[in-house]
Amino acid sequence: MAGNLAQKRVITTETAWVRRSLIGAALLFVFLFLVLPLAAVFTEALRKGFEAYLEGLREPDAWSAIRLTLITAAIAVPLNLVFGIAAAWCIAKYEFRGKAFLTTLVDLPFSVSPVVAGLIYVLVFGAQGWLGPWLAANGIKIVFAVPGIVLATIFVTFPFIARELIPLMQAQGNEEEQAAIVLGANGWQTFWHVTLPNIKWGLIYGVILCNARAMGEFGAVSVVSGHIRGQTNTMPLHVEILYNEYQSVAAFSVASLLALLALVTLAIKSVAEWQHERLMKATAELPPERPAAA
């Protein structure tokens, strides 16, 4: 028996040089394609000194781009939070005709190019679009304005929260919700006290990923924004304009701020994952409950 175990261990365990080669290749890949470009962004931003770096961020157009990026994320993420929870609850908790079609619609932004998504909004809300004449007659501006940027951002970020919650809710089932309803809880009480605590970590992950994509979206926003400096440029668009104008220090200054926001988002995600793992480990180490005495 021991010989068989030793033979299986030899067969299924890689040699030391294979493990070291794989680890080295992975670390080299991470360094070349993640760490080095990120370091290059901050190096180029500070190439002419910290004062030039701050000057690139103090520019009025840069502040406008930063403000618009934060406003867009502040609108898109809460809306996607509501839409994502509703879609995930509907898909995971109920069986109905057209469920597969609804799931496909949720995944649609993943399969459609962001540029195509922006063109869709131009086709619908643009001056020559389906609703363009009516919007112009009523003084409503969607395309080449903030509403168009928000709509495009919502479209491309919609699946993140829903796709994070759907498999989680499907794995949990609906037994706890049914038990709560049998005990007299209404729908809101069931959601607030049963469903939400069970999905809170998945919800946090989805919100973090959604926020990161909302702040960094380029393709769809580029189509619907019109590139109006100081008005409809988000941070990625402002970086492109500065770089095309050979203002490399200012471009990398704004890019470094965008990268810093991404790193903060990643840090928050890592802390949330660590807290979740610690909670799961503490729960697993709890002694089993003793049955109550008759």
Side-chain angles (χ1 to χ4, degrees):
M1 183 69 176
N4 292 336
L5 290 176
Q7 185 178 5
K8 291 181 179 179
R9 186 178 298 110
V10 170
I11 293 173
T12 57
T13 302
E14 299 84 359
T15 59
W17 73 269
V18 173
R19 293 197 303 271
R20 290 169 184 168
S21 299
L22 292 175
I23 293 173
L27 291 177
L28 181 62
F29 181 88
V30 170
F31 177 77
L32 290 177
F33 294 98
L34 295 178
V35 178
L36 191 60
L38 192 61
V41 169
F42 288 96
T43 301
E44 287 295 321
L46 296 170
R47 182 163 54 90
K48 293 185 178 180
F50 193 69
E51 186 62 31
Y53 174 81
L54 292 180
E55 186 64 29
L57 295 179
R58 284 197 294 256
E59 185 187 12
D61 290 343
W63 270 111
S64 176
I66 294 170
R67 184 170 57 252
L68 180 57
T69 301
L70 296 178
I71 291 174
T72 301
I75 297 174
V77 173
L79 288 177
N80 276 331
L81 176 65
V82 176
F83 298 158
I85 293 176
W89 190 327
C90 183
I91 292 173
K93 301 295 184 179
Y94 300 100
E95 295 294 333
F96 54 91
R97 183 179 299 177
K99 180 177 178 179
F101 179 69
L102 179 59
T103 305
T104 303
L105 288 180
V106 171
D107 292 335
L108 185 63
F110 281 145
S111 58
V112 175
S113 169
V115 175
V116 175
L119 289 175
I120 291 172
Y121 283 103
V122 173
L123 177 63
V124 175
F125 301 110
Q128 306 300 323
W130 299 341
L131 301 179
W134 182 86
L135 292 173
N138 290 273
I140 302 174
K141 194 172 184 180
I142 302 295
V143 177
F144 306 148
V146 175
I149 296 174
V150 172
L151 288 174
T153 304
I154 290 174
F155 179 86
V156 298
T157 57
F158 172 75
F160 286 93
I161 295 177
R163 265 297 157 199
E164 193 72 33
L165 294 180
I166 289 172
L168 179 61
M169 287 186 172
Q170 288 175 334
Q172 291 175 349
N174 56 5
E175 290 80 7
E176 294 186 19
E177 284 85 354
Q178 291 177 353
I181 293 174
V182 169
L183 293 174
N186 57 35
W188 174 251
Q189 290 173 332
T190 301
F191 170 77
W192 189 258
H193 296 287
V194 178
T195 303
L196 189 59
N198 288 338
I199 66 172
K200 64 179 181 180
W201 293 110
L203 195 61
I204 291 173
Y205 301 155
V207 168
I208 291 172
L209 294 175
C210 179
N211 181 69
R213 178 62 186 275
M215 290 191 298
E217 175 55 30
F218 179 84
V221 172
S222 178
V223 175
V224 301
S225 70
H227 294 269
I228 305 173
R229 298 187 68 155
Q231 298 183 32
T232 63
N233 274 342
T234 58
M235 291 172 66
L237 301 183
H238 189 61
V239 170
E240 183 199 28
I241 290 177
L242 291 176
Y243 190 77
N244 290 336
E245 294 178 350
Y246 302 101
Q247 301 182 43
S248 59
V249 173
F252 280 105
S253 297
V254 180
S256 68
L257 181 59
L258 193 60
L260 185 61
L261 290 175
L263 291 175
V264 171
T265 301
L266 181 62
I268 295 174
K269 181 177 181 294
S270 299
V271 170
E273 289 176 344
W274 175 75
Q275 290 283 359
H276 178 52
E277 292 176 0
R278 190 168 66 90
L279 180 62
M280 294 297 293
K281 184 178 179 180
T283 303
E285 292 175 352
L286 290 176
E289 295 183 0
R290 297 181 179 180

